[in-house]
Amino acid sequence: MVEERVKMRKQLGLLEGVAIILGIIFGSGIFISPKEVVEKTGSVWGALVVWAMCGVLATLGALSYAELGTTLAQSGGDYHYINEAYGPLPAFLYLWDANLVFVPSTNAIMALTFANNILQPIFPNCSIDPVCRKLIAAATICLLTFVNAYDVRLTTRAQNVFMFTKLAALLAVVGGGLAWVAAGGVEHFEDGWAGTRTSLSDWSVAFYSGIFSYSGWSYLNFMTEELREPFVNLPRAIYVSLPLVTGAYVLTNAAYLAVLGPARVRASDAIALDFAAAALGALRWAMPALVALAVLGGLSVHVMTSSRMSFAGARNGHLPALLAHVHVGRLSPLPSLVFLMLMSLLMLIPDNLTTLITYCTVVEAFFTTLSCSAVLWLRHKRPDLARPIRVSARAGPPLPGPSG
């Protein structure tokens, strides 16, 4: 008698794939990082250049992941690619760094941003108690872990709603900015390079902060086993998402800077709310809810996708075997979800969001670069692999690869 293994369902289509990518990218970053990018570049045009260049880097990385995700079509994302290309030791180091550093750090950042955007409209003229903020962030992480463990399909359906909420928030900002510029509010762009810093370290931190806002374009690769027609839907989801994100981010930051100016952007702790108060009139009351829902959606999908990495690592023996278990009734990786929830709660201890962002982004950027280099290494090491999508060296989208 053949024993049937319990495994996760293929239940995600193209819309869910796009919603997952946008759900993570349109998370907390666009409401946190503008302050740090302007602070470190020192000028309006310098900040916009960083945002555009980060979009280009994210797109190049996403094209590499399109080839990797269709060539090595298993859950696990970066962990799986590093393991296949460079062996178990680098994959082991990546897995532990991911689970102990940048995945729980990102969860904590998103949860704290959500709490901040919930509390600031309630107490507009008061400083927010850090303990109160952290308690709300902790409760949010626990609630979303439960929802993800209970029903994956419910989470992906919610992501479709969250995706349109995030787009509504960004469209409100972009629309308000365009109206402001059309009314003659261009004074902050007239000498846009004034104050530009020349320190390489400052620009490096600015790029790390920008890349943090784009992080998430690779997370659909963590769920390849649950994606219907992954060879078709994975690259299509990337092609739709990344140009949309890059354009939206550049326009959003241009709107922030046009309305608030670099000095007010640097001083703001809730930039979307300050923008709404200055430019959106009666619509300013809707912005806190839109931002909170946008961040909540990003956190929800990040909790869902990152747990699959722990699941894949445990399945290969790089984490305790308990984390490779799937709940028989719900068909979700319950132990992995609970483990990452506990690690995320620990990351709520630091008070400084900028420290958390730099801490997690430096480590994640190193391993993302390693994963992208796996495209070239695998072409040399294993040229016989079937590549449904093959990234071309020429300009343009990836081309269909040879069958063998």
Side-chain angles (χ1 to χ4, degrees), residues 250-270:
V250 172
L251 289 174
T252 299
N253 279 275
Y256 287 154
L257 290 164
V259 173
L260 300 176
R264 290 181 65 187
V265 169
R266 284 193 292 265
S268 177
D269 290 323

Side-chain angles (χ1 to χ4, degrees), residues 77-341:
D78 298 82
Y79 165 74
H80 180 53
Y81 310 145
I82 293 172
N83 189 48
E84 290 291 327
Y86 301 114
L89 180 58
F92 173 82
L93 295 175
Y94 166 80
L95 190 67
W96 281 91
D97 276 330
N99 284 280
L100 298 180
V101 180
F102 56 82
V103 167
S105 295
T106 302
N107 288 344
I109 292 165
M110 289 184 177
L112 289 168
T113 306
F114 171 75
N116 195 51
N117 281 279
I118 287 292
L119 291 171
Q120 183 155 329
I122 299 174
F123 307 104
N125 300 316
C126 304
S127 60
I128 299 172
D129 187 346
V131 175
C132 180
R133 184 190 294 117
K134 290 178 182 181
L135 287 175
I136 293 177
T140 303
I141 290 171
C142 294
L143 174 63
L144 293 178
T145 299
F146 169 77
V147 172
N148 276 280
Y150 182 76
D151 191 347
V152 174
R153 186 63 181 169
L154 175 63
T155 304
T156 57
R157 285 174 179 166
Q159 282 309 313
N160 296 338
V161 177
F162 283 134
M163 176 179 68
F164 292 111
T165 304
K166 296 162 196 273
L167 292 175
L170 292 180
L171 285 173
V173 173
V174 172
L178 290 175
W180 188 277
V181 170
V186 295
E187 63 273 10
H188 298 301
F189 296 99
E190 290 174 353
D191 192 12
W193 291 107
T196 301
R197 297 192 178 187
T198 57
S199 169
L200 182 60
S201 62
D202 285 339
W203 278 77
S204 298
V205 174
F207 268 96
Y208 280 129
S209 296
I211 285 294
F212 170 78
S213 295
Y214 283 94
S215 62
W217 43 265
S218 65
Y219 275 66
L220 184 60
N221 294 53
F222 291 169
M223 304 187 70
T224 307
E225 291 179 29
E226 296 167 77
L227 193 65
R228 295 193 300 269
E229 299 183 75
F231 296 164
V232 175
N233 286 328
L234 177 61
R236 283 182 179 174
I238 290 172
Y239 304 155
V240 171
S241 304
L242 266 296
L244 181 62
V245 169
T246 303
Y249 273 12
V250 172
L251 289 174
T252 299
N253 279 275
Y256 287 154
L257 290 164
V259 173
L260 300 176
R264 290 181 65 187
V265 169
R266 284 193 292 265
S268 177
D269 290 323
I271 189 169
L273 305 191
D274 291 341
F275 174 90
L280 297 186
L283 291 178
R284 69 184 184 275
W285 301 109
M287 187 57 71
L290 291 175
V291 172
L293 286 173
V295 176
L296 188 66
L299 176 57
S300 175
V301 74
H302 195 263
V303 168
M304 175 176 65
T305 54
S306 57
S307 64
R308 273 59 180 180
M309 177 175 53
S310 302
F311 170 82
R315 191 168 56 182
N316 287 344
H318 287 164
L319 285 173
L322 174 65
L323 300 183
H325 289 190
V326 175
H327 190 282
V328 175
R330 311 312 310 179
L331 297 181
S332 62
L334 179 60
S336 292
L337 284 163
V338 173
F339 170 71
L340 286 174
M341 178 191 75

